[in-house]
């Protein structure tokens, strides 16, 4: 019973110390090496508002930088293997579908290699 009373007293003391620390009025100083901030105090609580830091300048794409030469999609009618490089090992197989091309093409004796977008990144398909 003495242990329970001791633990309860300790928790009560810690709780009162925590509320006393937050009851103090907040200071209105701003950090020296950061963006301006505002600190307000109302009934024992404070709020600090700071401007978010931008990681990249905006806008990323400006007017006149859009794609002007869209690529022609490739229509696959049968299961088609694709490769990570022309003439390399088979990476996987695409089911019949319409795929977008990157515009890169390489000719060979077997046909034409066309670079396409896949779920594994860009890959090459042999078109005969």
């Amino acid at each position: 019973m003495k242990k329970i009373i001791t633990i309860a007293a300790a928790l009560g003391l810690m709780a009162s110390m925590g509320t006393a620390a937050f009851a103090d009025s907040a200071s209105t100083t701003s950090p020296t090496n950061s963006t301006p901030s505002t600190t307000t105090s109302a009934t024992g609580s404070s709020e600090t508002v700071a401007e978010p830091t931008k990681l990249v300048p905006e806008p990323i794409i400006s007017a006149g930088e859009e794609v002007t030469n869209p690529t022609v999609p490739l229509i696959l009618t049968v299961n088609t293997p694709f490769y990570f490089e022309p003439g390399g090992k088979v990476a996987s197989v695409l089911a019949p579908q319409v795929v977008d091309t990157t515009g890169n093409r390489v000719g060979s004796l077997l046909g034409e290699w066309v670079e396409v977008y896949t779920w594994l990144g860009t890959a090459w398909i042999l078109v005969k």
Side-chain angles (χ1 to χ4, degrees), residues 33-73:
N33 293 333
S34 67
T35 58
S37 64
T38 305
T39 304
T40 58
S41 177
T43 64
S45 64
S46 65
E47 178 182 345
T48 303
V49 179
E51 291 292 321
T53 306
K54 293 183 180 180
L55 298 177
V56 293
E58 291 185 19
I60 296 173
I61 299 174
S62 60
E65 292 182 348
E66 57 275 338
V67 176
T68 56
N69 296 331
T71 59
V72 179

Side-chain angles (χ1 to χ4, degrees), residues 24-39:
D24 292 341
S25 63
S27 65
T28 58
T29 60
S30 63
T32 57
N33 293 333
S34 67
T35 58
S37 64
T38 305
T39 304

